[in-house]
Amino acid sequence: IPAFAKVNLCLQVVGRRADSYHDLRTIFQTISLHDTLEISFHRGRKDTLAIYPTFEVPKEHLAGLMGPHNLIYRALDALRRELEIQRRIHVDLVKNIPVARGLGGGSSDAAATLVGLLRLTGQRLPLARLTEIAAGLGADVPVFLLGGRALGVGRGDQIFPLPDGPRRTVVVVSPQGIAVSTREAFG
């Protein structure tokens, strides 16, 4: 399953919310840069994740990639509860999207996990319910269920698809050693 990165074509922070998030208006655009997930059942006692980064991951972000707070684990857990899946799952992740650069890599991986697990089990969910589960994982996870261009409002989790614009070439510059978490950026 490919998990595409995104850029924000514009981003307006409208104000701070009572839940510590920010109200915003943004135009998301997915781009061709992507991670790749392979999801399968396995015989282990717990879900497992193997990450193969194609770039050097800063030490402070490595624990977040592998720990139980990883959005892939959270997506597996959420869909397991929703669909009452009993079998254990293994995910191989080839990580091409740089970490903590505003490209939505973790959120995209979570959305791809939801879609991939539905395919693996052969089960279906209404898009509205799948979007609700995605929003519970992270504010921008729902946009990755649709891809393309979309308006994001509220926390960025209210998604309104927009017509595709003209095809453009985007150069993503991601200097090694520079990383800013979403929390830090909005702080």
Side-chain angles (χ1 to χ4, degrees):
I1 306 288
F4 293 96
K6 60 88 179 159
V7 292
N8 294 76
L9 298 177
C10 68
L11 173 63
Q12 296 175 318
V13 179
V14 179
R16 192 163 181 97
R17 299 163 50 109
D19 61 5
S20 78
Y21 284 91
H22 290 80
D23 275 317
L24 55 89
R25 292 179 57 87
T26 186
I27 304 289
F28 294 113
Q29 176 66 59
T30 54
I31 60 175
S32 60
L33 176 65
H34 67 279
D35 293 343
T36 303
L37 289 86
E38 185 175 306
I39 303 172
S40 58
F41 289 124
H42 78 111
R43 297 182 192 270
R45 292 185 175 176
K46 61 181 182 173
D47 295 334
T48 56
L49 170 63
I51 301 176
Y52 307 97
T54 59
F55 54 89
E56 189 171 322
V57 178
K59 290 178 185 175
E60 62 271 16
H61 296 285
L62 195 57
L65 280 178
M66 295 303 295
H69 297 295
N70 181 298
L71 286 173
I72 291 174
Y73 281 124
R74 292 180 50 214
L76 290 173
D77 185 57
L79 213 51
R80 175 185 306 290
R81 283 183 279 123
E82 180 75 16
L83 301 175
E84 300 178 358
I85 298 169
Q86 300 299 315
R87 296 176 73 184
R88 294 298 164 216
I89 297 141
H90 175 76
V91 178
D92 282 317
L93 170 64
V94 176
K95 189 80 180 136
N96 294 308
I97 302 172
V99 178
R101 303 303 205 292
L103 297 169
S107 296
S108 182
D109 294 342
T113 299
L114 295 173
V115 170
L117 192 51
L118 285 171
R119 286 184 189 170
L120 183 64
T121 62
Q123 297 191 51
R124 295 181 182 267
L125 277 178
L127 182 58
R129 179 62 185 137
L130 187 60
T131 301
E132 185 180 340
I133 292 168
L137 297 170
D140 63 351
V141 176
V143 74
F144 294 105
L145 294 174
L146 304 174
R149 184 179 294 206
L151 169 67
V153 296
R155 297 183 318 151
D157 57 343
Q158 297 171 42
I159 304 299
F160 302 92
L162 296 172
D164 288 334
R167 187 173 175 90
R168 302 261 191 234
T169 299
V170 176
V171 176
V172 176
V173 178
S174 180
Q176 196 169 357
I178 297 176
V180 179
S181 72
T182 302
R183 184 178 304 246
E184 291 170 325
F186 279 93

